[in-house]
Amino acid sequence: MITIIAAVAKNNAIGFENKLIYWLPRDLKRFKQLTTGHTILMGRRTFESLPKGALPNRRNCVLTTSVNELPGCECFGSWDEFLYTCMPDEEIFIIGGASLYTGLMSKADRLCLTEVDDTPAQADTYFPDYSDWKEVMREHHDADERHSHAFDFANYMRRPKVRNHHQ
């Protein structure tokens, strides 16, 4: 299964100056729970934004055309080159950034999103439109002393294509 995972604002904003907009401990905990033991795929700038480099207990893969080696990561020049190294039952999480989300949306089976009840004052990176995906799970969390905004964990699956009988 190929899953895209991200935290998105009401206007689909996901980042500003190569940093996440929101620091939500429950979101980070969910991210860790979902991705640990699996393969994560990211772009080079997303890798560079990680405070401690490669994430532990995961196969860290980077899609990049500009770098051959990054510490703790496998680097690939294309999606096809990356996919060739994956097992058929390997669980893959695409963790960013925006160009990977946009370019690989059509390859994904599932979206695991944290939808933040906020529109940030500053953003320069946005998640692609996902209005044609079908919501399959939602869990609401109110703002509290550790979370500046209310948010929902929301999972989506790809909507089945409706076939026209005249095709």
Side-chain angles (χ1 to χ4, degrees), residues 8-162:
V8 299
K10 284 179 155 184
N11 63 348
N12 285 16
I14 57 172
F16 181 65
E17 296 180 345
N18 207 33
K19 290 184 180 64
L20 295 175
I21 294 174
Y22 302 103
W23 184 261
L24 302 168
R26 274 202 198 123
D27 171 58
L28 298 172
K29 184 178 178 183
R30 178 179 189 236
F31 176 89
K32 184 178 180 179
Q33 285 174 329
L34 288 171
T35 62
T36 294
H38 300 294
T39 298
I40 55 174
L41 178 68
M42 67 197 100
R44 179 188 49 80
R45 290 202 340 245
T46 295
F47 172 77
E48 290 170 351
S49 76
L50 298 174
K52 297 177 182 170
L55 298 176
N57 306 312
R58 284 155 268 210
R59 178 183 177 211
N60 284 253
C61 299
V62 177
L63 221 51
T64 175
T65 53
S66 61
V67 181
N68 292 339
E69 279 188 44
L70 292 168
C73 293
E74 299 171 54
C75 293
F76 300 95
S78 72
W79 167 257
D80 290 335
E81 182 186 333
F82 159 72
L83 210 52
Y84 183 77
T85 68
C86 296
M87 302 299 291
D89 62 346
E90 196 164 335
E91 187 132 358
I92 299 164
F93 287 86
I94 299 166
I95 69 166
S99 59
L100 239 63
Y101 289 146
T102 300
L104 298 178
M105 192 74 126
S106 65
K107 312 279 190 209
D109 304 300
R110 176 175 71 162
L111 306 177
C112 289
L113 302 180
T114 299
E115 296 176 337
V116 183
D117 189 15
D118 182 57
T119 302
Q122 292 185 299
D124 57 15
T125 313
Y126 295 85
F127 194 80
D129 176 59
Y130 58 97
S131 58
D132 59 338
W133 288 68
K134 178 180 174 26
E135 182 180 312
V136 295
M137 188 282 291
R138 178 168 297 271
E139 179 183 297
H140 180 73
H141 298 270
D142 290 321
D144 61 27
E145 65 280 349
R146 296 177 65 220
H147 300 84
S148 55
H149 300 89
F151 59 93
D152 288 2
F153 293 146
N155 291 353
Y156 295 84
M157 299 298 280
R158 184 173 295 291
R159 281 192 195 276
K161 297 277 188 248
V162 177

